[in-house]
Amino acid sequence: SSQVRVGTLVPFVEGKSGSPSASSLPMPSIPIFKGSNVVGRSNLVAVDKRVSRKHLSLRALPDGSLEVVVEGPNPIVVRSEGQRRKVCAQQRAKIMHDDVLELIPGEYFMKYVNMSDERKSSTSVESHDLKKGKRHSEEDSVVAKRNRQVMEDEALARTSQGNDESFAEESTSVTEVVSSLDSAGSSERNKERTHSVGPLKDVLPLTFRLMRVQGLPSWTNTSTVTIPDVIQGEVLLAVLSNYMVDMDWLLTACPSLRKVPHVLVLHGEDGASLERLKKTKPANWILHKPPLPISFGTHHSKAMLLVYPQGIRVVVHTANLIHVDWNNKSQGLWTQDFPWKKANDTSTNIGFENDLVDYLRALKWPEFRVNLPVAGDVNINAAFFRKFDYSSSTVRLIGSVPGYHVGPNMKKWGHMKLRSVLEECVFEKQFCKSPLIYQFSSLGSLDEKWMSEFACSLSAGKADDGSQLGIGKPLIVWPTVEDVRCSIEGYAAGSCIPSPQKNVEKDFLRKYWSRWKADHVGRCRAMPHIKTFTRYNGQNIAWFLLTSSNLSKAAWGALQKNNTQLMIRSYELGVLFLPKTLQSVPQFSCTDKSRSNLDKLALGKNIKTKLVTLCWKGDEEKDPSAEVVRLPVPYQVPPQLYGPEDVPWSWDRRYTKKDVYGSVWPRHG
């Protein structure tokens, strides 16, 4: 918010005879601010390794022009006043308003629009270029409709790409372009979808959000989050847990991290990626890869612990710390803030606290000592995180840690942990024998025996009449080949749905396959990297798990030795939403002292929570003592089974039907 924008790099298309060229890829507009700016591979929707991560650096000059330095090894082309000039590595060039950059000679055209002229010209340029360059020649009527949707979404997205007013002012002429494209009536569909879901309620601190996706209509990003929304304020200590970490992107996307005095990164990188991480991290950051005692395991958990003078923010999410995960995928994030414990508070009977500390202890990071203004000189280890009051927690943590777990430890991790928590819960009678949904982005090598074991854990729990809920029939929500082909990334999205044909095309799995349909949140074309598991009846939800765990034995564990041992290979972490009876208290925030979303409720009053989807249409007035919590489940419930033409995506098959960028899969070979 403190940055001053001076202009924008706008995608500029030059197709030949109506056929799409590489330059017609729907790159987002790139705002240019005072000071230094970096343009690189992370700005492209499709990954092209000829474009470096730090391809160009740009600096705004007082006269409104930009000084461009080529940082990567490949040259660029600057087109100015009819002249075309190649600029090689480490060379400089000056660009003015309306000059065009070719990020790779002949490809990836971007026009520079100075702020003073932007309102007048950028919309007409973008509108013309979208209309001219995005028409695809395929005759298949289904594909033609999908391409119209692509064009509409990209045009509408122009109104939501920036946070400042200049983008909002572009909406009128962009809308005109959309209506001219709308021979399939898709604007009407969007209008209906916009009004089918009300704004998300924040009455209780069940803060589960979808992440923002670039290149989608603005209504789809209502109530979504970005990484700067989460990491904000005066952070004293940050623990960032993830599998993949792109340090250049992370520090560009969230520059406030540079100001955090103590940062611990728990990661799963190795080889060249780890060497790069070591070279690019700030000097005061500590890297740690938790031990992996069993082969083929990973450190896969995605979480953040942010310590503030006021307390701690706990974040559990599904995105790697890389650009495509935070911008191009369907992802989910949960967060809640907790205050420091009072000096005389020694309670340790909070389930959330014990879940968290047990999990952190298993990570075995090297202790380090810091001086915090509010706590003095302290060791940063697992026990340190008992200093916060988690009594207001509204979720349970479900973690996995690698090992051969026996005795009491068997119920602390993986699907046996989920089973043990659900066994303690009482649900409404409507959930007896109700179905289950497994939704994830990578499928392990499974067999029917393990699927039964897993369904048994997810079916645990009692009804309010004392009977067991009983085994639910599972459905697997998984993108089809056509979903991936027509997604906002095209086939490139399939690289983040990394399941081989031998795992996907097992005969016994056919009865489970269900469509990735996400019209109500506008994410049909944003491929899922989110992982969720739930039990439902209609639009009512018994429980809901947001997690890093895919459907695999490595993530969830497999019972061994006559069910006396649970073997897990990987680290995972998720949050389990359950119906609860809570005492209403003002919602605590580490960053906003005035924040309280429970003002309308009588403090101290007991309230029950009822979990539902965004599409639930019940009557909230019937039971005023129950608080309806609408969770943004990102896919259609109940899921729709695959049709006879649907083929589940597997990433090692060859697909010759071209995607929305004119590419086949795999790209090479």
Side-chain angles (χ1 to χ4, degrees):
S1 60
S2 62
Q3 292 179 302
V4 178
R5 215 179 84 186
V6 296
T8 308
L9 288 177
V10 176
F12 182 75
V13 179
E14 287 194 344
K16 294 178 182 176
S17 65
S19 63
S21 65
S23 57
S24 68
L25 292 174
M27 297 179 288
S29 296
I30 304 172
I32 304 297
F33 300 96
K34 276 188 178 176
S36 60
N37 299 262
V38 173
V39 171
R41 195 186 310 157
S42 63
N43 299 114
L44 305 183
V45 172
V47 175
D48 186 333
K49 292 193 175 177
R50 294 175 300 168
V51 180
S52 306
R53 292 176 189 273
K54 188 176 181 182
H55 197 62
L56 306 175
S57 60
L58 301 98
R59 186 169 62 88
L61 301 175
D63 63 356
S65 64
L66 298 180
E67 181 187 65
V68 179
V69 180
V70 179
E71 303 285 359
N74 291 322
I76 67 167
V77 168
V78 174
R79 287 161 45 181
S80 180
E81 297 179 342
Q83 300 295 313
R84 194 168 177 274
R85 174 192 164 201
K86 183 183 282 190
V87 186
C88 296
Q90 299 307 311
Q91 291 184 341
R92 297 170 185 268
K94 186 175 180 179
I95 62 170
M96 309 289 288
H97 173 69
D98 268 353
D99 286 352
V100 172
L101 291 177
E102 300 174 18
L103 300 186
I104 294 293
E107 299 183 45
Y108 305 119
F109 302 160
M110 305 290 288
K111 176 176 282 196
Y112 176 55
V113 182
N114 183 277
M115 190 73 182
S116 58
D117 297 282
E118 185 166 14
R119 290 178 177 83
K120 292 181 288 184
S121 63
S122 65
T123 304
S124 58
V125 169
E126 290 178 45
S127 300
H128 173 73
D129 293 340
L130 279 164
K131 198 171 183 179
K132 176 181 173 186
K134 285 290 288 167
R135 293 206 178 277
H136 295 268
S137 58
E138 303 195 41
E139 296 176 1
D140 182 336
S141 63
V142 174
V143 175
K145 286 180 183 176
R146 293 300 287 265
N147 283 342
R148 276 195 290 274
Q149 188 69 51
V150 171
M151 296 165 73
E152 177 191 359
D153 288 352
E154 292 300 333
L156 283 169
R158 301 288 180 233
T159 66
S160 63
Q161 288 301 313
N163 289 327
D164 51 37
E165 295 174 1
S166 63
F167 279 98
E169 290 179 18
E170 296 173 10
S171 61
T172 304
S173 49
V174 170
T175 305
E176 290 166 5
V177 178
V178 171
S179 59
S180 72
L181 297 170
D182 190 30
S183 58
S186 49
S187 283
E188 281 305 308
R189 287 200 310 276
N190 263 343
K191 198 180 295 179
E192 288 167 16
R193 280 180 283 177
T194 306
H195 296 294
S196 66
V197 177
L200 301 182
K201 292 174 68 176
D202 258 341
V203 176
L204 291 166
L206 294 167
T207 316
F208 165 35
R209 291 284 179 266
L210 300 179
M211 291 186 190
R212 181 175 176 165
V213 179
Q214 287 184 352
L216 294 182
S218 55
W219 69 267
T220 69
N221 285 316
T222 305
S223 298
T224 58
V225 291
T226 61
I227 195 166
D229 295 331
V230 181
I231 304 175
Q232 56 173 260
E234 186 188 349
V235 181
L236 306 175
L237 164 72
V239 178
L240 307 179
S241 169
N242 222 295
Y243 175 44
M244 298 170 64
V245 182
D246 179 343
M247 193 64 71
D248 289 336
W249 170 81
L250 178 61
L251 294 172
T252 302
C254 197
S256 64
L257 272 172
R258 290 187 183 275
K259 301 174 187 172
V260 179
H262 309 285
V263 179
L264 168 64
V265 178
L266 306 165
H267 66 89
E269 301 276 25
D270 54 21
S273 298
L274 178 56
E275 291 309 308
R276 177 168 180 79
L277 194 56
K278 288 176 179 176
K279 287 178 183 174
T280 53
K281 77 171 184 71
N284 63 316
W285 289 30
I286 300 170
L287 301 179
H288 174 66
K289 182 174 182 176
L292 294 167
I294 305 177
S295 58
F296 306 111
T298 57
H299 177 263
H300 199 245
S301 303
K302 296 164 178 65
M304 304 175 190
L305 302 172
L306 308 175
V307 177
Y308 292 86
Q310 296 83 3
I312 188 171
R313 175 166 295 171
V314 183
V315 183
V316 176
H317 62 97
T318 61
N320 287 292
L321 292 173
I322 61 177
H323 176 269
V324 293
D325 271 26
W326 284 83
N327 291 280
N328 299 340
K329 315 283 185 195
S330 291
Q331 303 274 22
L333 179 149
W334 166 88
T335 182
Q336 188 177 345
D337 292 2
F338 304 97
W340 293 86
K341 280 182 181 173
K342 294 182 170 62
N344 58 354
D345 185 352
T346 57
S347 61
T348 57
N349 63 347
I350 306 296
F352 182 93
E353 177 179 323
N354 293 326
D355 294 341
L356 178 63
V357 173
D358 284 349
Y359 176 78
L360 295 178
R361 191 174 287 123
L363 300 176
K364 295 184 168 58
W365 73 68
E367 287 188 23
F368 56 99
R369 201 159 184 82
V370 303
N371 193 285
L372 299 178
V374 282
D377 208 27
V378 289
N379 274 338
I380 303 304
N381 52 23
F384 166 78
F385 292 92
R386 289 200 183 275
K387 294 180 178 291
F388 304 94
D389 179 2
Y390 303 103
S391 59
S392 63
S393 58
T394 54
V395 295
R396 288 296 300 268
L397 286 176
I398 307 294
S400 291
V401 301
Y404 298 95
H405 305 293
V406 296
N409 284 342
M410 204 169 80
K411 291 192 171 184
K412 286 176 72 169
W413 309 115
H415 74 76
M416 292 301 292
K417 169 69 170 184
L418 181 55
R419 182 186 297 191
S420 67
V421 173
L422 292 177
E423 282 174 342
E424 298 168 3
C425 296
V426 176
F427 300 94
E428 293 178 16
K429 180 77 173 173
Q430 64 170 307
F431 296 112
C432 282
K433 299 284 177 63
S434 65
L436 304 162
I437 296 175
Y438 308 162
Q439 180 274 310
F440 48 91
S441 62
S442 181
L443 180 71
S445 180
L446 305 179
D447 52 66
E448 293 189 77
K449 176 180 176 292
W450 185 85
M451 288 290 279
S452 296
E453 173 186 315
F454 188 64
C456 185
S457 286
L458 274 67
S459 299
K462 291 181 180 177
D464 44 22
D465 65 358
S467 62
Q468 296 295 321
L469 287 187
I471 304 297
K473 179 187 175 184
L475 293 173
I476 292 175
V477 172
W478 183 259
T480 64
V481 175
E482 193 70 0
D483 289 333
V484 175
R485 190 181 73 82
C486 296
S487 71
I488 56 176
E489 299 172 274
Y491 284 130
S495 62
C496 295
I497 312 172
S499 292
Q501 193 173 349
K502 67 180 179 65
N503 291 357
V504 171
E505 297 193 0
K506 292 182 176 176
D507 284 344
F508 81 90
L509 289 174
R510 287 182 183 174
K511 59 182 175 288
Y512 299 119
W513 293 124
S514 305
R515 293 290 306 276
W516 170 260
K517 288 182 70 67
D519 289 292
H520 66 296
V521 288
R523 277 164 173 69
C524 285
R525 296 181 52 246
M527 289 297 93
H529 192 264
I530 190 173
K531 291 94 171 154
T532 61
F533 297 80
T534 189
R535 186 165 206 172
Y536 70 96
N537 181 6
Q539 303 304 317
N540 295 289
I541 296 172
W543 54 263
F544 185 86
L545 180 73
L546 175 72
T547 179
S548 62
S549 294
N550 287 300
L551 192 66
S552 71
K553 297 177 186 179
W556 284 104
L559 290 171
Q560 299 175 333
K561 296 187 176 179
N562 200 24
N563 298 344
T564 61
Q565 175 174 287
L566 183 71
M567 189 272 277
I568 299 176
R569 298 180 188 272
S570 297
Y571 295 91
E572 307 284 358
L573 197 60
V575 287
L576 177 64
F577 299 87
L578 294 162
K580 288 195 169 189
T581 300
L582 301 168
Q583 193 174 68
S584 56
V585 292
Q587 185 175 337
F588 173 78
S589 171
C590 289
T591 55
D592 183 356
K593 292 175 184 174
S594 65
R595 182 178 175 191
S596 171
N597 292 327
L598 290 171
D599 291 342
K600 72 184 183 106
L601 298 172
L603 297 186
K605 174 185 172 186
N606 282 342
I607 49 176
K608 293 183 296 183
T609 63
K610 173 184 173 68
L611 306 180
V612 299
T613 72
L614 293 177
C615 299
W616 181 80
K617 292 180 178 176
D619 186 357
E620 295 183 43
E621 305 303 319
K622 279 186 180 177
D623 186 1
S625 66
E627 189 59 51
V628 173
V629 177
R630 295 178 183 270
L631 296 176
V633 180
Y635 41 82
Q636 175 182 302
V637 178
Q640 176 185 326
L641 288 169
Y642 274 24
E645 302 299 314
D646 291 326
V647 177
W649 169 263
S650 51
W651 77 333
D652 57 350
R653 281 184 54 168
R654 180 156 184 78
Y655 304 110
T656 55
K657 191 175 183 180
K658 291 183 177 179
D659 68 9
V660 291
Y661 301 117
S663 299
V664 297
W665 183 266
R667 289 277 173 85
H668 309 291

